Amino acid sequence: MTVSPAVPARQDDAVIAEFVDTSKRFGDVLAADRLNLQIRRGEFLSFLGPSGCGKTTALRMLAGLETPSAGRILIDGQDIGDAPAHRRPVNMVFQQYALFPHMTVAENVGFGLRQRRPRMDRADIARRVDRALETVRLAGFGPRRIWQMSGGQQQRVALARAIVNEPKMLLLDEPMAALDAKLRAEMQFELLSLQRALGITFILVTHDQQEALSMSDRICIMGHGRIAQIGTPRQLYDLPANRYVADFVGRANILPGTVRATTDDCADIALPGGLTVRVAAPFPVTPGQSVEVAIRPESLRLSLSPPTDPATTAFAAGITHQTFLGEHIECLLHHPMLGQIQVNLPRQAERSLPGAGVGSTVHVLWDHGSGLILGDD
C-alpha cells in the first residue's frame, strides 16, 4: 500500500534539531560515527537501515536515553546533550508500546500529565486526555483496560500518550513491527494523517523500506553507524549514491562495467559479454574507468523478439523463476556473463509474452538512459 498525504507536509527550512559530529561508543563498538544531520520543523523523517546500523542509537541520543560520546545534539539551537529525557521537548513511542496493563486507557494517556510539577488540575488533565483520544480516533475508549484493546488500538493509545504532552518532536522506534501486514498498512496511513494534522516533527526508526518510502518527507539511510545518504524517497530510489543504498532501497540489478565514452550527463558502459548500454552518469567519469551500474527491475522489459529501436539494447537470457505478486510478476533470469537478472513484469505485459515461462529464453530490453553509475560506498 502506498500512503499519500491528504495535504502537503507542514514544514519549512527551519531547523528544529541537529546532530553535530555526534558519536556514540559502547565499549569497543562505535554505534554512531560522526553523525551530521539537520532535522526540519514539521517534517516526517525516517532513519532506515538494517539491524545494528546505528539508527536506534541516534534516536535514543535524541530522546536523552543515551549520552553522546562525542559531538553535540541541538534542539532549537540549544545543546541538550546532557539534559535528561524528561527535560527534553520530545516524546517517544516504543516498539512494545510500554503501556501499563493495570491502568485504563485514559490513565495510560494521562500518566505523563499527572507527573508534572506543579500538579495539573484533574479537569484539565481529563480534557487533554479526551482531546488526545479523539485525535487518534479512540473517543469513548478511556474507561477500557489495555488488555481489552487490539494491537492497532494499543498503538493508538501509545500515540495518544505521546502527543498529550504536546512535544516538539515525536520519536517512533519501529512502532509497527509487531503488527500484521494489513494492519501495518492501515496504521501507516493513520500515523501519517496524524502527523499532517498535528504539524509535529515525526522521526521514525524502521528497517522496512516500504514503510519509510511511503511515509517520509526525507529518509536518512544508515550503515555501519554512519549516514550513507539523506534525501526524499524519490531521490534515494532514483539516484542512490552507492551500491549500499541502491541495494537497500528497493531492488536493483548491479552489474560491473567499463566506461567506453561519455556524453553530457550519460555514459556508454561496456558490460561483460560484449554488451554496451547507455546509462545516467550523476558524477564525472572517464573512458576506461571501472564502474558499477544499477538498473531497477521495473526499468527492464521482456520480449520474444529482438528490438527494432536503435535506442534499446537487448540480450537473451533464460527465465529461471517466476513469482506472482498480484500487481506484477517477478521474473528471475540467467545470463551466462551477467549472472542473475531480475525483471518486474507488469500484468498487462503478460499478453505480449504468450508461453514464456520458466525455461524459456527471452530478450531483455534495456532502453538508453535507464540505470545509472553508482558511486563508491
Side-chain angles (χ1 to χ4, degrees), residues 275 303 314-319 333-338 361-365:
L275 299 168
S303 174
F315 55 89
I319 300 175
L333 302 98
H334 178 75
H335 183 274
M337 299 298 293
L338 300 177
T361 297
V362 294
H363 295 274
V364 181
L365 309 185

Side-chain angles (χ1 to χ4, degrees), residues 362-377:
V362 294
H363 295 274
V364 181
L365 309 185
W366 183 321
D367 293 332
H368 285 188
S370 298
L372 80 159
I373 298 172
L374 298 174
D376 295 330
D377 288 346

Side-chain angles (χ1 to χ4, degrees), residues 45-59:
L45 174 75
S46 292
F47 284 101
L48 175 64
S51 298
C53 70
K55 58 186 186 297
T56 297
T57 299
L59 196 75

Side-chain angles (χ1 to χ4, degrees), residues 30-273:
L30 187 58
D33 185 11
R34 292 166 292 172
L35 304 183
N36 286 283
L37 171 66
Q38 291 185 335
I39 300 170
R40 300 167 185 162
R41 191 179 306 277
E43 77 171 326
F44 198 125
L45 174 75
S46 292
F47 284 101
L48 175 64
S51 298
C53 70
K55 58 186 186 297
T56 297
T57 299
L59 196 75
R60 290 176 64 84
M61 287 193 292
L62 191 57
L65 302 177
E66 302 289 351
T67 302
S69 304
R72 297 183 299 155
I73 295 178
L74 310 177
I75 295 181
D76 280 337
Q78 300 296 314
D79 190 336
I80 49 89
D82 295 327
H86 67 278
R87 296 293 185 188
R88 301 187 183 199
V90 304
N91 266 346
M92 190 163 178
V93 177
F94 297 91
Q95 184 174 337
Q96 300 302 325
Y97 308 149
L99 300 173
F100 301 111
H102 64 286
M103 294 183 181
T104 65
V105 168
E107 288 170 343
N108 266 278
V109 174
F111 180 80
L113 298 178
R114 295 195 299 274
Q115 309 311 307
R116 287 189 174 184
R117 297 296 181 271
R119 292 182 180 273
M120 290 183 62
D121 182 78
R122 289 186 178 181
D124 288 340
I125 292 177
R127 279 193 294 269
R128 291 181 62 168
V129 168
D130 288 344
R131 189 165 62 245
L133 287 175
E134 186 176 350
T135 300
V136 299
R137 298 200 300 149
L138 286 179
F141 283 76
R144 291 199 186 184
R145 297 286 179 177
I146 291 300
W147 51 267
Q148 295 176 305
M149 309 292 280
S150 68
Q153 289 172 331
Q154 288 185 27
Q155 187 198 50
R156 292 190 210 172
V157 174
L159 287 169
R161 185 177 65 180
I163 66 174
V164 76
N165 288 314
E166 300 177 351
K168 291 184 177 180
M169 289 185 291
L170 188 61
L171 314 181
L172 304 128
D173 186 10
E174 303 206 49
M176 291 170 280
L179 304 180
D180 62 63
K182 183 177 180 181
L183 182 55
R184 182 182 300 179
E186 292 174 357
M187 289 310 303
Q188 287 174 10
F189 182 82
E190 296 266 357
L191 194 60
L192 185 57
S193 297
L194 179 63
Q195 193 267 340
R196 298 307 192 230
L198 295 174
I200 296 174
T201 301
F202 275 32
I203 303 174
L204 172 71
V205 158
T206 182
H207 65 273
D208 187 323
Q209 56 175 278
Q210 183 178 6
E211 190 169 277
L213 288 170
S214 64
M215 299 175 68
S216 309
D217 297 311
R218 288 193 304 155
I219 301 173
C220 179
I221 305 293
M222 298 287 292
H224 308 294
R226 296 184 175 183
I227 297 174
Q229 188 176 356
I230 306 168
T232 66
R234 190 178 296 274
Q235 287 170 342
L236 295 178
Y237 192 84
D238 291 342
L239 295 170
N242 50 46
R243 184 187 184 114
Y244 177 81
V245 176
D247 243 351
F248 197 81
V249 180
R251 301 282 189 89
N253 298 295
I254 300 178
L255 307 170
T258 303
V259 178
R260 292 189 59 183
T262 61
T263 172
D264 297 328
D265 56 353
C266 291
D268 292 335
I269 307 297
L271 300 178

